[in-house]
Amino acid sequence: MLKDSQKVFLTGFMGVGKSTIARHLAKILKCPRLDLDARIEKQHGQPVSELILGLGVDRYRDVESDALALLLDEPTPAIVALGGGAFTIERNRKMIKEKGHTSVWLESTFEHCWMNIQRSKKVRPLAKDRETTRRLFDERMVSYCLAEWHFLIKPEYSSYDIAKQIAEEVFCLE
Ligand code: S3P
């Protein structure tokens, strides 16, 4: 379904469901699924949360960009779940766009993301409390909306429904 080394990057706020939707979409499109955070953890032998706390956010963003550059060089097609901050960095958006890959913004309400963040076991140092997380959510909209595609996740949709919708609209898969 995906051509040559074409990659589809899923972006959106923490807790929106990027990884789960990526899993469904990869199954529907019969192609590999990658997760940028998992890649970084494998390369550095440390959880992303510890890298952020140890290096600071700015240096972590460099680590993230380097991992993205490596992933972009791979000659295989894939559905890629980005970490929630990756697409807010201009050089990352540029790399994705210049190489002709597809970017998809998964949008949901702050309440939905916050609920998932609280329920999740994933440690997210940048989502410590509701107020700072809400501020980050608002700040990031200007970056996420630069993605090529946009899907609004309503509470009644399942992750599979969204993946199916992406497959139908982006890849004309019936
Ligand atoms: C981050 C999101 C996280 C992870 C890191 C930073 C962010 O990924 O990359 O904690 O800046 O939004 P998820 O979006 O999968 O939670």
Side-chain angles (χ1 to χ4, degrees):
M1 189 57 56
L2 295 190
K3 286 184 209 112
D4 307 323
S5 59
Q6 189 190 359
K7 293 178 181 54
V8 179
F9 290 91
L10 302 187
T11 185
F13 200 67
M14 292 174 266
V16 78
K18 299 178 291 289
S19 301
T20 314
I21 294 169
R23 183 159 41 80
H24 288 299
L25 187 58
K27 248 191 196 158
I28 295 170
L29 297 177
K30 298 183 179 63
C31 70
R33 168 182 64 102
L34 302 175
D35 185 289
L36 187 60
D37 280 6
R39 277 298 176 91
I40 294 169
E41 295 187 344
K42 202 166 170 202
Q43 281 161 12
H44 293 266
Q46 251 182 308
V48 158
S49 56
E50 284 177 22
L51 286 168
I52 292 177
L53 294 172
L55 298 172
V57 181
D58 291 347
R59 278 182 60 208
Y60 172 72
R61 293 298 171 209
D62 292 338
V63 164
E64 188 177 46
S65 293
D66 290 347
L68 177 63
L70 282 178
L71 193 151
L72 280 164
D73 276 344
E74 291 173 17
T76 46
I79 306 297
V80 186
L82 292 171
F87 204 75
T88 67
I89 305 298
E90 193 184 355
R91 62 179 177 274
N92 294 346
R93 294 196 299 269
K94 214 167 153 220
M95 280 195 278
I96 291 171
K97 203 169 175 197
E98 271 175 0
K99 299 200 174 178
H101 298 290
T102 306
S103 54
V104 177
W105 171 27
L106 302 172
E107 186 189 11
S108 187
T109 61
F110 174 73
E111 293 309 326
H112 178 244
C113 295
W114 181 242
M115 184 187 72
N116 288 337
I117 289 169
Q118 285 183 304
R119 282 183 182 170
S120 159
K121 286 197 194 108
K122 183 168 179 175
V123 181
R124 293 174 164 108
L126 303 184
K128 273 188 297 234
D129 60 80
R130 191 189 163 93
E131 204 181 309
T132 41
T133 310
R134 168 87 229 196
R135 214 172 308 130
L136 201 59
F137 180 90
D138 292 339
E139 281 168 17
R140 286 182 171 180
M141 292 302 122
V142 289
S143 303
Y144 293 146
C145 73
L146 298 172
E148 203 180 338
W149 292 85
H150 175 208
F151 289 84
L152 190 63
I153 302 177
K154 297 197 175 153
E156 64 268 28
Y157 297 166
S158 70
S159 301
Y160 177 79
D161 292 336
I162 302 290
K164 192 95 198 310
Q165 210 179 317
I166 298 172
E168 283 168 6
E169 291 186 31
V170 180
F171 297 96
C172 304
L173 194 85
E174 283 306 315

